[in-house]
Amino acid sequence: MDDRPLVYLTREIPREGLDRLEDSCEVVAWEESTAPPHDLLVDRLAELEADGLFCNVADTVDAAVFDASPNLRAVGTMSVGYDHIDLRGAAERDIAVGHTPGVLSETTADLAWALLMAGARRIVEADQQVHDGEWDTWGPMVLLGRDIHDATLGVVGLGGIGTAFAKRAAGFDMDVCYTHTGRNEAAEAELAEYGVDATYCDLPDLLDRADYVSLHVPLTDETAGLISEDELRRMDKEAILINSARGEVVDTEALDRALAEGWIRHAALDVTDPEPLPPGHSLCRHAPERITVTPHIGSASTETRGEMAVMTADNILAGLADEDPPYSALEHAGIR
Ligand SMILES: O=CC(=O)O
């Protein structure tokens, strides 16, 4: 019988993370490519008497999970965000929780820019027209988009990902303004080194000014529904909203109306509420000119996902050794 700690994986993970765990743990993984339904996750953890849990943003890790797994000592989420985990519940039961900050900032910023550019220059519908055989000739009025260069970029949340995103504005001669929990002088200085002069303002001011509004805040009680009807109506009719943060930061019902009634030009979303969008959801019924949606792939590059898997494994291994994880979510959230 294997007396090493047992770590349960809720999904297949990159090889390098698996190798790290398998050096000292027994590893059991959910067999399917989609998320385990919550009740099955709870049952599986109970049946296996798991010591560690390797999870991700699509898994809800709550009191039911903890109560079913009395041996659980370490949870590692392969994500920077930890809004899907009951951190207080974990702390009360002395369960370590790790996450993956920093490593994915540049990759997620790349994706946010890809969304911005896809929305501005109508890349997805243009590609679709060619694939559908609808491209017959060059046309002076065909697929007109918006300029990106010389426009004003509004960055909502100038943390690691927001800063990496703003840095990329340097090549486009943009005016950059941002909101944050307060002025972020360290980030401003970092951006200045790239030639980006980012000015701090409040959200209404940013919404008044920006041609592109990109969201980079964590999901908290304060940021849930941050972009709702008033904010969407305040944006310019030609403005584009980019969300690579969390779907719940935007009020879906208000966004639906904004797109239907033309309060804004386009929404380019990597995250949605609900997530995933059920087939036929109203957001998917808008014309591609109005909306671009990708399936929460902000950090999805081979390199970054490999590094995230190793960080997550290391966080779990530390928790199993009764040490603080190198990247503790409890510490990050100010809980411990
Ligand atoms: O959304 C993804 C993450 O939090 O890493």
Side-chain angles (χ1 to χ4, degrees), residues 19 51 68 76 109 143 200 213-214 239 244 266 278 286 288 307 331 336:
D19 285 347
D51 303 284
L143 286 165
Y200 176 63
V213 174
S214 189
S244 58
H266 190 94
H286 297 286
E307 288 181 59
E331 199 176 305
R336 193 163 73 194

Side-chain angles (χ1 to χ4, degrees), residues 82-102:
Y82 41 69
D83 49 275
H84 53 296
I85 301 176
D86 173 7
L87 290 188
R88 290 194 184 281
E92 278 161 18
R93 294 164 176 87
D94 224 12
I95 298 171
V97 183
H99 69 142
T100 63

Side-chain angles (χ1 to χ4, degrees), residues 22 28 38 42 83 107 111 121-122 133 146-147 156 159-160 164 183 187 248 250 274 277 284 298 302 316 319 330:
E22 282 180 341
V28 179
H38 187 256
V42 168
D83 49 275
T107 303
L111 192 271
R121 297 303 306 272
R122 305 173 61 177
R146 282 210 74 176
D147 276 336
V156 179
R183 213 178 136 188
E248 293 86 342
V250 178
L277 289 175
C284 294
T302 308
I316 293 172
L330 296 176

Side-chain angles (χ1 to χ4, degrees), residues 57 78-82 100 104 244-246 271 296 299 308:
V57 292
M78 194 171 141
S79 62
V80 61
Y82 41 69
T100 63
L104 48 72
S244 58
R246 283 292 181 270
V271 288
H296 204 148
S299 63
M308 290 167 74

Side-chain angles (χ1 to χ4, degrees), residues 6 8 28 30-31 39-51 65 67-71:
L6 187 143
Y8 188 67
V28 179
W30 172 247
E31 306 77 9
D39 53 339
L40 293 191
L41 173 63
V42 168
D43 289 351
R44 207 74 186 102
L45 289 168
E47 176 191 320
L48 292 165
E49 299 182 2
D51 303 284
V65 165
D67 291 342
S69 345
N71 291 351

